[in-house]
Amino acid sequence: MSDGQKSSGQAPATVCAPVGQPLLSLALTSMMDAVGAHSGAVYLRPGDEPLLEMAVTAGLPRSFVAPWERVGLSAPIPVAEAVRERRLVWVGGVEDMARRYPRIAVVLPYPFALAALPVLTETRVYGAVYVTWPGSHPPELSDRERQELTAACERLALRLERAASTNRSVRAETDVLDTGPLGGFADALGTLEAARMVARLPYGMCSIDVSGRVGFANEAASQLLGVPVGGLLGSQLWAAVPWLNDPLYEERYRAALLSHEATSFVALRPPSQWLSFRLYPDTTGISVRISRARAVSEMSPADPRSGDAPTRLVSMSQALSMAGALTETVSVQDVVGLVADEIAPAVGSQALALLGAHGGRLHVLGHHGYPDPHVVERFDRTPLSSPTPGAHAAAHGVPAFFDSRQDLERLYPARHATPDGFAAWAFLPLIASGRPVGACVLAYAEPHVFSTHERAVLTSLAGLIAQALDRALLYDVKHQLAHGLQAALLPHSLPSLPGIEATARYLPATRGMEIGGDFYDLVPSHPHAAAVIGDVQGHNVTAAGLMGQIRTAVRAYTTVGQEPAEVMRSTNRLLIDLGSDLFASCLYLRLDPARGRAVMARAGHPPPLLRRADGRVRVLDLAGGPLLGIDGSATYPTTEVELTEGCVLALYTDGLIETPGVDIEDAIADLGRRLGEAGDRPLAELADELVGHYAAADERMDDVALLLLRAREDG
């Protein structure tokens, strides 16, 4: 457990003279008092960065909320959401938290309610506040509580605004905890005789504050714990009693403080005595009742190794946060980045290598922290049968820990020839679903003794990494397959046609497998070339496969000399004969640049745009037939349009014009405006301009295909 007295948030750096009183602490504690909350925190936004930094906490140790000391404004947590949406965010209990904010629920799976509010004025966001109540709070926030919290945040925002206007800084402040002993336990009981009575009780009694420090302990507690009263007072219970230094017991302590509900656990005092601990929390700390636990007296686990009670390697909070983060990784590089940025620093490692096992060999998937990357990369494609610690860990599923270079070289003499500059190593097998997926190598700059506890923690973390890596490897294979299939089905390049300059762009949707049914093609047939663009519904392998069949069919019908209307009818019948449940839109053009004309047939596809040489743009809202694959007897009328020198035809799929909340006609008009303004540019630049907004988007709900054709003087 941490004493929670450290503070790390920083205020905006644009002001320099400090505020003369603990502004944030006073605002937070008065807010908590007004609504009966038992803990909370204030975040400040450093300048205009999209970030919130915790400036002060109250009521609970900072270690409880350590994963969220620095929060990106896009993070899926209540304080960030409150700032993004400029409103109060209410979480009514543990089920509500699990449903809406699962990463928080994984770290803090206890019954409590939470309200988060932005601290802002009309012109500036200064930060955010959250406060929490025990799980006994009603599932809804009362109107009075809502008004009190909103008013308090408005007052705090005005104070921060005044401080900024007078060039005074608001800095992080000391967290608000009861730092003294809970005692003078006699004072709490009222009389010295009452304290003597507690001291005479046959069971142990002690009190600890919210940071886990002991303020009172009777003699029975001392005897049961095996630690003198003087060794307990002022120390954290888990630090003073080494065999209580276990994540399970910390979890019970956290549960009691957060939920304000009595909780209990049973612990083994070596070598064989089981003790029962009952925790009774309130706003100032916890009273603990300790007694012998007869119910588990028959249990006799193996004796722990003497002297092997190390300090905590990672806290429960950190472990659960890392586990939650690993579940959100997608690609192999995501896993490598997370291990490098969060797990390796948490366990004190200065470098790491992530190795995959496939085809009887090791493959270097990623590494971090090695001064010379070739030291790691030379092990790529090492046989699993080779006498190296990484291969041995991956092949046999047994971790290996080397406290010094001498230990490593004694078992693996070949490492004399491959120094990596480090002095201690942990080689962790990565096992998922009972099969090896690789190994994780953690390197330490100094000799490092791996205790039993540390080995257990590292091995457990390796299990989490293995599960994440197994999913990521599968994702990367599917991703490569999808892109390979898409690349095979779309033309690698567009042919050169007399009198026609052409270019195309394709952007896959960013959801699903990033593969879809949008397609385009340019067919150099005689006597007239043809162009086609279409969209099979869906974003999966089925849609892509059907798209490939349609594209092949259109090429075949064009090559044998069918007219545009017949090409569309034949393709429609083919799609129906295939028995697919999917439909497709399509736009087909027979090009005749020598005559300055083009003949078009349309099947439910968005209308093309024509930019004339003088810069005017026209929407070619042509007559057409239904989507392909619906009606076997459908006909597709054709329309002849001009395609004189300098004209540009823009053919596109609906992904380029469909945006939530935007009318389709407005979107087409905007596309036409941009085509008119940039139409004189080189065709490749024009294509980049028309898809630029979509290419930069983090999320695309649909595929985007664009085919540009410009009539030019041949030769």
Side-chain angles (χ1 to χ4, degrees):
M1 291 187 292
S2 169
D3 63 9
Q5 296 304 300
K6 297 179 181 179
S7 58
S8 62
Q10 296 298 322
T14 54
V15 290
C16 56
V19 171
Q21 59 178 335
L23 169 62
L24 304 178
S25 304
L26 291 175
L28 178 60
T29 53
S30 62
M31 189 184 311
M32 290 165 55
D33 290 341
V35 296
H38 76 301
S39 73
V42 177
Y43 287 80
L44 294 178
R45 185 178 181 186
D48 293 325
E49 293 184 48
L51 183 71
L52 295 172
E53 294 183 336
M54 188 178 292
V56 67
T57 66
L60 291 175
R62 183 174 287 243
S63 60
F64 279 35
V65 290
W68 307 288
E69 287 200 40
R70 290 169 57 87
V71 173
L73 289 184
S74 61
I77 69 170
V79 286
E81 184 174 317
V83 171
R84 288 197 306 270
E85 300 184 7
R86 293 176 172 250
R87 65 176 180 87
L88 184 150
V89 173
W90 168 249
V91 184
V94 63
E95 293 182 1
D96 196 16
M97 183 69 78
R99 177 174 54 84
R100 296 164 56 192
Y101 307 103
R103 283 191 64 175
I104 296 179
V106 167
V107 178
L108 302 174
Y110 315 118
F112 68 97
L114 177 146
L117 300 91
V119 177
L120 50 78
T121 61
E122 292 183 358
T123 59
R124 182 173 176 183
V125 175
Y126 289 92
V129 169
Y130 78 78
V131 294
T132 69
W133 294 261
S136 56
H137 188 283
E140 297 296 332
L141 193 66
S142 70
D143 290 340
R144 184 193 68 81
E145 290 170 328
R146 184 179 296 271
Q147 292 167 3
E148 290 280 359
L149 292 172
T150 302
C153 286
E154 289 173 351
R155 290 194 297 270
L156 178 57
L158 290 175
R159 293 186 183 116
L160 293 173
E161 186 177 57
R162 284 198 296 269
S165 67
T166 56
N167 204 36
R168 293 181 299 160
S169 65
V170 179
R171 300 192 179 101
E173 299 172 4
T174 302
D175 294 336
V176 184
L177 295 173
D178 184 3
T179 56
L182 292 184
F185 201 83
D187 294 339
L189 294 175
T191 66
L192 181 59
E193 183 57 31
R196 290 172 178 166
M197 177 192 71
V198 172
R200 292 193 295 266
L201 289 174
Y203 49 81
M205 286 287 293
C206 67
S207 63
I208 58 178
D209 64 12
V210 294
S211 297
R213 290 191 299 271
V214 178
F216 169 85
N218 66 1
E219 187 60 29
S222 170
Q223 292 176 2
L224 288 169
L225 297 174
V227 178
V229 171
L232 295 171
L233 296 179
S235 301
Q236 291 181 318
L237 182 61
W238 274 248
V241 185
W243 46 270
L244 285 178
N245 188 15
D246 187 285
L248 172 65
Y249 310 140
E250 180 185 1
E251 191 273 339
R252 295 291 82 201
Y253 152 79
R254 290 154 57 90
L257 279 185
L258 268 171
S259 66
H260 276 211
E261 295 177 354
T263 187
S264 61
F265 62 88
V266 176
L268 174 66
R269 174 186 170 181
S272 60
Q273 185 178 25
W274 288 91
L275 299 179
S276 172
F277 293 77
R278 184 74 174 170
L279 282 61
Y280 301 91
D282 67 10
T283 57
T284 60
I286 297 176
S287 297
V288 184
R289 183 183 187 274
I290 310 170
S291 61
R292 290 181 174 84
R294 293 189 181 90
V296 293
S297 59
E298 70 277 7
M299 299 176 65
S300 55
D303 292 347
R305 289 170 55 181
S306 61
D308 195 36
T311 57
R312 185 69 43 79
L313 179 62
V314 294
S315 69
M316 172 74 78
S317 171
Q318 287 175 301
L320 290 174
S321 180
M322 288 186 286
L326 280 167
T327 65
E328 297 180 2
T329 54
V330 176
S331 68
V332 170
Q333 289 309 308
D334 289 342
V335 178
V336 173
L338 182 67
V339 175
D341 295 340
E342 295 194 30
I343 295 180
V347 300
S349 169
Q350 285 74 47
L352 73 96
L354 209 59
L355 310 175
H358 177 68
R361 294 180 179 273
L362 286 179
H363 301 271
V364 178
L365 303 177
H367 54 82
H368 179 79
Y370 287 89
D372 182 4
H374 298 293
V375 169
V376 181
E377 292 164 1
R378 72 180 66 181
F379 290 103
D380 194 43
R381 301 190 59 80
T382 298
L384 289 176
S385 58
S386 65
T388 63
H392 189 271
H396 299 282
V398 178
F401 301 92
F402 300 96
D403 298 349
S404 65
R405 172 165 290 280
Q406 290 75 18
D407 286 348
L408 177 66
E409 293 175 350
R410 184 168 58 251
L411 289 179
Y412 298 95
R415 286 300 296 265
H416 283 286
T418 58
D420 58 11
F422 291 94
W425 299 264
F427 292 85
L428 307 172
L430 302 179
I431 310 295
S433 301
R435 55 186 177 77
V437 295
C440 178
V441 184
L442 297 174
Y444 297 76
E446 302 293 336
H448 184 89
V449 177
F450 296 92
S451 67
T452 299
H453 170 80
E454 187 168 1
R455 295 179 186 213
V457 169
L458 291 175
T459 304
S460 298
L461 289 174
L464 297 175
I465 296 169
Q467 295 293 333
L469 181 61
D470 193 38
R471 291 191 304 271
L473 288 167
L474 181 60
Y475 171 84
D476 281 357
V477 168
K478 289 182 176 179
H479 192 73
Q480 292 167 9
L481 173 64
H483 281 266
L485 177 60
Q486 191 83 60
L489 294 175
L490 290 172
H492 296 286
S493 61
L494 295 176
S496 177
L497 300 179
I500 294 291
E501 179 187 2
T503 193
R505 297 291 183 269
Y506 174 79
L507 302 172
T510 57
R511 296 194 176 185
M513 289 187 65
E514 298 189 17
I515 185 172
D518 286 20
F519 67 96
Y520 59 87
D521 203 357
L522 203 56
V523 185
S525 183
H526 183 78
H528 300 299
V532 63
I533 192 167
D535 182 3
V536 179
Q537 65 180 136
H539 309 105
N540 51 38
V541 173
T542 302
L546 190 60
M547 172 265 282
Q549 291 175 298
I550 293 175
R551 177 173 167 246
T552 301
V554 169
R555 271 187 162 259
Y557 299 140
T558 300
T559 302
V560 299
Q562 288 190 356
E563 294 294 317
E566 188 58 30
V567 170
M568 297 296 275
R569 285 196 296 270
S570 299
T571 306
N572 178 51
R573 287 194 296 268
L574 172 68
L575 195 55
I576 292 174
D577 291 343
L578 290 173
S580 172
D581 294 330
L582 301 180
F583 308 130
S585 69
C586 190
L587 180 65
Y588 181 88
L589 293 80
R590 187 179 66 187
L591 305 171
D592 189 358
R595 292 178 53 241
R597 313 300 289 173
V599 178
M600 301 188 182
R602 186 159 71 108
H605 199 81
L609 300 176
L610 174 65
R611 183 188 188 275
R612 295 188 176 91
D614 59 8
R616 290 182 298 166
V617 176
R618 174 187 169 198
V619 179
L620 301 179
D621 197 3
L622 314 172
L627 292 168
L628 302 178
I630 294 180
D631 180 4
S633 61
T635 59
Y636 298 91
T638 59
T639 305
E640 187 174 88
V641 298
E642 69 171 303
L643 189 59
T644 55
E645 182 182 349
C647 286
V648 177
L649 269 173
L651 318 179
Y652 54 90
T653 56
D654 54 10
L656 191 62
I657 55 172
E658 287 187 349
T659 303
V662 178
D663 184 81
I664 288 291
E665 293 185 359
D666 292 339
I668 293 175
D670 179 67
L671 182 64
R673 176 187 58 77
R674 290 187 286 129
L675 175 63
E677 292 174 353
D680 290 329
R681 295 188 192 178
L683 212 57
E685 292 184 15
L686 175 58
D688 291 337
E689 168 66 25
L690 295 182
V691 302
H693 170 72
Y694 300 90
D698 292 330
E699 288 199 3
R700 290 185 294 273
M701 300 297 293
D702 199 0
D703 312 321
V704 173
L706 173 69
L707 178 61
L708 297 180
L709 306 172
R710 174 180 282 154
R712 66 184 180 189
E713 183 179 355
D714 193 22

